[in-house]
Amino acid sequence: MPANQLGAVQGLITNTYLSQAEYDLLASLSAAVLSKTRFSVPPLGVDVFEGPLKGLVLAEAEFSDDEEALAFGSPAQCVAEVTDDVRPTGGKLVSASRRELSAWLAEYGIRLSPGADSEPGHDHSAPMY
């Protein structure tokens, strides 16, 4: 998620590892679902979304230090830089309709092809670079 500063250096990422009992408890709660498959292509993590966000592909890069982050050049396949945009974060995407996603992508000159159900709260996915 973008930090309070703009650009490549964004801050720390925190992972929380759950026990099976903790996972089972959380999985039993009612929630909106964001469905994606993550591929590791170092230094990138590439998320390919499913459901209403089908077609969205987001890639994020992680580095050991600020120098590495600042020296990184986006791959040629990258069609838009969204580092400073909070909309492609999980918390925003999980409730976004396909129509909203299409509008966001249009701001980057990207057209999302027609696809899955546009209702929020279902499995979501769609690619953004």
Side-chain angles (χ1 to χ4, degrees):
M1 175 172 218
N4 292 332
Q5 60 188 30
L6 298 178
V9 179
Q10 290 291 308
L12 300 175
I13 296 173
T14 301
N15 292 313
T16 301
Y17 297 94
L18 305 174
S19 69
Q20 187 64 49
E22 291 167 328
Y23 174 84
D24 291 342
L25 176 63
L26 288 174
S28 72
L29 301 175
S30 174
V33 176
L34 184 71
S35 183
K36 65 183 182 180
T37 300
R38 172 159 282 196
F39 298 94
S40 180
V41 186
L44 301 173
V46 179
D47 295 334
V48 178
F49 291 83
E50 301 159 3
L53 300 182
K54 185 173 185 174
L56 177 65
V57 175
L58 290 172
E60 65 180 33
E62 296 179 13
F63 304 99
S64 301
D65 58 45
D66 293 353
E67 281 184 10
E68 280 184 44
L70 294 169
F72 179 72
S74 296
Q77 298 87 346
C78 181
V79 296
E81 170 58 63
V82 298
T83 297
D84 298 323
D85 190 340
V86 298
R87 295 173 298 183
T89 60
K92 299 286 185 180
L93 287 176
V94 74
S95 62
S97 69
R98 192 160 182 86
R99 182 180 308 224
E100 289 171 313
L101 178 64
S102 292
W104 297 345
L105 293 173
E107 293 177 26
Y108 289 98
I110 301 167
R111 184 170 173 225
L112 187 61
S113 62
D117 179 21
S118 64
E119 293 298 318
H122 296 91
D123 287 350
H124 288 56
S125 67
M128 183 184 258
Y129 301 94

